Amino acid sequence: MIKAIFSDIDGTLLNSRHQITPETKSAIQKVKDRDIPFVLVSARMPSGILPLQQELEINAPVICYSGALVLGGSDSGGHRKTLHSVGMGKSSVDLMLGIVSSGFPGISFSLYSHDQWIVGDLTDPWVIQEQEIIKVDPIERELSSYIEEDHEIHKILCMGNPQEINWLAETLKRVVPGVSIYKSKDTYLEIMDEMVSKSYAIRELEEVLHISNRELMAIGDNYNDIDMILYAGLGIAMGNAPEEVKRIADTVTLSNDEDGLKDGIERFVLIYS
């Protein structure tokens, strides 16, 4: 019996128009009515996740930056406690900025710290595109100065054409120790501390939610969802996921444009509760 659901956002909860369909929201409401926590898990920052929680009318913990920051549900005053936080070392972040600045001029380089998105140029087309998707406004700063101030950096996002992103990934994996580097799509490279993973963040919440991993359902559509799909008692891949993700999942549902999340909830949660 599933006692909590952990769901990715982009490509899973949201369709290809970045919307939650009424049918998917209705299924999540039924889960809420049965006191089954529905936890959003994403590489997004808090401001890119919490409005979706409000739209769904749910209040559960959220996993941000693929597990680098975990926030509890909001209290009566709307405040959220930080349950888990892992940042990258200043020297590693500085090294990566130097590599991108000197060798990859076509790559857009962003920093994320708690609920701030820091960019070097607000007019960068990649920044504008991401801003439209997540509906969060970035802050323009001189990046090396910001790094020098020693903020807790939860995530670096590099955006660029697929070939350059591949070259950058290979370079950083060869040169920079202690970080986790993966593509969330062909044009996006996400970088966090090597200790960060969605499954580790889920583990941090098991005690809070009084559940074990055998009682969890995890659903996602991309490579950065593999570890949580493998970790959960029931791991589901979306129909729009790459074949490698589908192969490791316990089962595959419909695509995000066919309400695959709703289908998974109905088939494996609502039918038994």
Side-chain angles (χ1 to χ4, degrees), residues 9-28:
I9 292 178
D10 297 284
T12 302
L13 171 69
L14 304 181
N15 62 20
S16 57
R17 295 177 298 283
H18 311 293
Q19 298 166 334
I20 302 170
T21 67
E23 293 78 14
T24 291
K25 179 177 176 179
S26 175
I28 293 167

Side-chain angles (χ1 to χ4, degrees), residues 90-127:
K90 184 168 79 168
S91 58
S92 296
V93 177
D94 206 33
L95 174 60
M96 287 184 277
L97 175 61
I99 290 168
V100 171
S101 300
S102 61
F104 298 86
I107 294 284
S108 173
F109 188 96
S110 297
L111 303 170
Y112 293 83
S113 175
H114 291 277
D115 205 21
Q116 290 192 326
W117 175 22
I118 311 298
V119 303
D121 179 8
L122 290 173
T123 65
D124 181 331
W126 288 104
V127 169

